[in-house]
Amino acid sequence: GTIVMDFIRQVAPESYKIASSVDGKIKNNILYSEGAEFLLHEQPDILTTSQWSNWDLKEPVQKVYQTLNERGTYFVCSAGNNGESGATKLAKTGLWKAIGACRYNNGNVKRSSYSSIDEEVDYASFDHVKATLDGKYYNGTSFSAPIFAGMLALVQCFFLKNIGRKLTEKELDAFVQANCVDLGIDGNDSEFGHGLFLLPDPNKI
């Protein structure tokens, strides 16, 4: 979690960042979680996770996520490092945008070999990124997802500054798709989803 936050900080240093958990207890199909209540109160623009458990798939927890999504939160998760075995169960819920991993290789951008291949992969972002905390490089979709989330934070800050409001979830997703580079077949594919998201020149937005 510390490294994930470090990558978000590198991309979007001035954004307001919260590390939270929805752990708690479930009684009579009702979730009791201080972290979930906090998120519902704060209403984050972007919620990203690099790790998940079966807890996240439980119905009361999914209801919290669905409520946040209906209010406009954009959900980002790592697609998983399962290669041809497919994306994680969380990515398959349909709520989260699953982010695959890619990297530079001899001047070309290629899928990281372990990055999940699945129709559930929505977008690609870079992994093999150097952390400022320890100077080490980190590999995996657990690190491409926060890079992607940090880029979304920059987009929302840009629009808030320039048009006086943030983009809705649908507008934000349309913006991302409009600024993707196809790395596989044209359009949507199981390795890169809609492609590698790149921030455009702000002067051309």
Side-chain angles (χ1 to χ4, degrees), residues 147-164:
I147 295 294
F148 183 90
M151 293 167 72
L152 296 183
L154 291 180
V155 171
Q156 292 291 42
C157 289
F158 174 87
F159 280 99
L160 181 61
K161 178 180 178 181
N162 286 279
I163 68 171

Side-chain angles (χ1 to χ4, degrees), residues 66-137:
Q66 191 63 48
T67 298
L68 288 169
N69 182 247
E70 289 169 359
R71 294 179 185 172
T73 298
Y74 192 101
F75 283 72
V76 176
C77 72
S78 56
N81 305 319
N82 304 318
E84 294 184 6
S85 298
T88 66
K89 289 181 181 179
L90 188 64
K92 292 180 179 292
T93 63
L95 182 63
W96 302 77
K97 301 298 182 186
I99 312 303
C102 58
R103 63 179 63 188
Y104 280 112
N105 185 0
N106 295 324
N108 298 309
V109 181
K110 296 188 176 180
R111 182 182 64 85
S112 298
S113 60
Y114 39 76
S115 184
S116 293
I117 300 173
D118 200 305
E119 63 182 12
E120 303 299 338
V121 175
D122 293 289
Y123 300 106
S125 190
F126 287 110
D127 74 335
H128 192 63
V129 184
K130 187 176 182 179
T132 59
L133 296 176
D134 58 13
K136 295 179 181 178
Y137 284 86

Side-chain angles (χ1 to χ4, degrees), residues 3-146:
I3 299 298
V4 164
M5 191 65 84
D6 177 54
F7 288 148
I8 297 173
R9 188 182 302 115
Q10 286 189 57
V11 179
E14 296 181 6
S15 63
Y16 176 49
K17 295 165 282 291
I18 301 166
S20 184
S21 167
V22 294
D23 289 349
K25 64 180 181 179
I26 295 173
K27 187 175 181 181
N28 297 325
N29 210 34
I30 297 173
L31 172 65
Y32 296 90
S33 165
E34 288 185 19
E37 288 298 319
F38 180 78
L39 289 174
L40 288 167
H41 181 265
E42 288 292 314
Q43 187 61 44
D45 296 318
I46 302 143
L47 186 64
T48 184
T49 184
S50 290
Q51 288 186 319
W52 66 280
S53 69
N54 287 328
W55 176 264
D56 292 290
L57 301 176
K58 292 184 179 293
E59 184 180 345
V61 180
Q62 284 290 308
K63 283 183 179 179
V64 170
Y65 293 150
Q66 191 63 48
T67 298
L68 288 169
N69 182 247
E70 289 169 359
R71 294 179 185 172
T73 298
Y74 192 101
F75 283 72
V76 176
C77 72
S78 56
N81 305 319
N82 304 318
E84 294 184 6
S85 298
T88 66
K89 289 181 181 179
L90 188 64
K92 292 180 179 292
T93 63
L95 182 63
W96 302 77
K97 301 298 182 186
I99 312 303
C102 58
R103 63 179 63 188
Y104 280 112
N105 185 0
N106 295 324
N108 298 309
V109 181
K110 296 188 176 180
R111 182 182 64 85
S112 298
S113 60
Y114 39 76
S115 184
S116 293
I117 300 173
D118 200 305
E119 63 182 12
E120 303 299 338
V121 175
D122 293 289
Y123 300 106
S125 190
F126 287 110
D127 74 335
H128 192 63
V129 184
K130 187 176 182 179
T132 59
L133 296 176
D134 58 13
K136 295 179 181 178
Y137 284 86
Y138 286 82
N139 303 319
T141 59
S142 289
F143 308 107
S144 60

